[in-house]
């Protein structure tokens, strides 16, 4: 499972636990004043509301974290599911907030009725009323001290919740930066492989260029040698032709000698001339 998907599942579990805790607090607030201890329960009502407000703040923080993580889910279907979950959480948050408001109204009404009954009992006189007043004073002092400590703890918890939200926002930013860096690293790897292939192609082209130069140089040398050979042969023939022409002009060599030398076979020197024909005269 992907890390973001796992984080979303953990958020859903935290949401369920926070909702259960808030519903218990709402039920406790709604039942305030029904036991007949109006003054004591009136003093505990701010503590219960503080706990409920902390739960609401936690739900709001979970909504914010889900909104950040929903955009980072790997598939489009999971993103749509995350958005739908976020909308349902928002509706549930509004309903819980309205329930808390109604529970406070009910608790105030119950406490008012219980306080009225206690007042009527205290004004009735007698030893029972005196003992009840003393007990109420003692419990009121203890309750006041407990409420002061609870309020201090609630403020500390509120500060811790804010720090957790700030840390969650920072972690989300870090995760986004990490994903951007991973994408940049992937693009760099792709460019690196492309550069390696380009370097290989350049090396091959350089080798081919050197080979082409060698082939062109060798061909040019062979062509030059052939041209020199043809020119030298041509110059030799022209020189021989010039010498023969000079010899013919000077008379030291006749044309018949030249033809005889040019024809193949043994030279026809010292061949006796044919005998004249003999005729019989009768």
């Amino acid at each position: 499972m992907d890390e973001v998907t796992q984080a979303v599942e953990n958020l859903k579990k935290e949401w369920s636990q926070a909702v259960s805790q808030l519903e218990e607090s709402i039920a406790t607030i709604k039942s305030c004043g029904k036991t007949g201890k109006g003054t004591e329960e009136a003093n505990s009502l701010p503590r219960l509301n503080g706990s409920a407000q902390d739960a609401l703040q936690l739900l709001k923080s979970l909504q914010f974290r889900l909104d950040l993580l929903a955009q980072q889910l790997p598939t489009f279907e999971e993103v749509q599911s995350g958005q739908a979950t976020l909308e349902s959480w928002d509706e549930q948050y509004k309903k819980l907030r309205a329930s808390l408001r109604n529970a406070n109204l009910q608790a105030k009404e119950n406490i008012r009725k219980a306080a009225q009954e206690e007042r009527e009992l205290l004004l009735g006189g007698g030893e029972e009323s005196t003992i009840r007043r003393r007990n109420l004073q003692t419990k009121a002092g203890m309750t006041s001290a407990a409420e002061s400590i609870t309020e201090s703890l609630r403020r500390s918890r509120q500060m811790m919740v804010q720090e957790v939200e700030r840390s969650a926002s920072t972690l989300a930013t870090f995760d986004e930066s990490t994903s951007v860096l991973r994408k940049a690293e992937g693009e760099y790897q792709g460019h690196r492989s492309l550069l390696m292939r380009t370097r290989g192609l350049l090396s091959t082209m350089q080798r081919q260029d050197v080979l082409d130069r060698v082939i062109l140089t060798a061909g040019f040398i062979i062509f030059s040698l052939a041209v020199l050979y043809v020119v030298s042969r041509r110059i030799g023939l022209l020189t021989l032709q010039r010498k023969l022409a000079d010899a013919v002009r000077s008379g030291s060599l006749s044309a018949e000698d030249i033809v005889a030398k040019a024809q193949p076979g043994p030279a026809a020197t010292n061949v006796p001339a044919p005998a004249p024909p003999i005729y019989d005269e009768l």
Side-chain angles (χ1 to χ4, degrees), residues 48-249:
L48 295 174
N49 275 300
S51 178
Q53 291 297 330
D54 290 342
L56 286 175
Q57 190 67 28
L58 178 58
L59 294 179
K60 202 67 177 177
S61 173
L62 293 175
Q63 284 181 326
F64 177 74
R65 290 165 60 186
L66 179 62
D67 190 17
L68 292 176
L69 293 175
Q71 305 298 329
Q72 304 177 19
L73 290 170
T75 62
F76 179 75
E77 290 77 9
E78 291 180 350
V79 172
Q80 294 294 323
S81 177
Q83 294 293 336
T85 303
L86 186 62
E87 292 178 359
S88 65
W89 282 10
D90 187 61
E91 292 294 330
Q92 191 175 8
Y93 176 82
K94 293 178 180 178
K95 290 180 180 179
L96 290 171
R97 194 176 183 86
S99 299
L100 178 60
R101 183 171 58 254
N102 295 331
N104 274 288
L105 294 175
Q106 182 66 38
K108 289 178 180 179
E109 181 65 21
N110 295 336
I111 291 171
R112 186 185 64 79
K113 293 180 179 179
Q116 185 176 0
E117 293 177 358
E118 288 180 358
R119 186 165 52 253
E120 292 176 355
L121 182 61
L122 290 174
L123 294 176
E127 184 179 356
E128 183 180 356
S129 299
T130 303
I131 294 173
R132 188 172 182 81
R133 281 196 299 270
R134 290 176 181 176
N135 292 334
L136 288 175
Q137 290 175 357
T138 303
K139 290 180 180 180
M142 295 175 62
T143 304
S144 178
E147 289 295 332
S148 177
I149 296 173
T150 303
E151 184 66 22
S152 177
L153 292 174
R154 192 182 68 82
R155 287 195 299 268
S156 300
R157 183 179 179 182
Q158 186 69 23
M159 293 176 62
M160 293 177 65
V161 169
Q162 292 177 357
E163 291 296 328
V164 169
E165 291 178 356
R166 191 177 295 110
S167 299
S169 177
T170 304
L171 289 175
T173 304
F174 284 160
D175 291 339
E176 185 177 359
S177 301
T178 302
S179 63
V180 172
L181 289 175
R182 287 177 180 174
K183 291 180 181 178
E185 183 180 3
E187 293 179 358
Y188 171 75
Q189 293 293 337
H191 292 164
R192 184 178 180 183
S193 61
L194 180 60
L195 290 175
M196 293 296 292
R197 290 196 297 268
T198 305
R199 184 180 299 176
L201 291 174
L202 288 176
S203 300
T204 303
M205 292 176 65
Q206 289 177 353
R207 290 193 296 269
Q208 188 67 32
D209 182 62
V210 173
L211 182 61
D212 292 342
R213 290 182 181 181
V214 171
I215 293 174
L216 289 175
T217 304
F220 180 74
I221 292 173
I222 294 173
F223 176 75
S224 300
L225 292 175
V227 170
L228 290 175
Y229 176 76
V230 171
V231 171
S232 63
R233 294 284 296 179
R234 186 65 177 170
I235 292 174
L237 291 175
L238 291 175
T239 304
L240 180 60
Q241 185 179 3
R242 191 179 296 110
K243 288 181 179 180
L244 290 175
D246 292 340
V248 170
R249 289 193 194 96

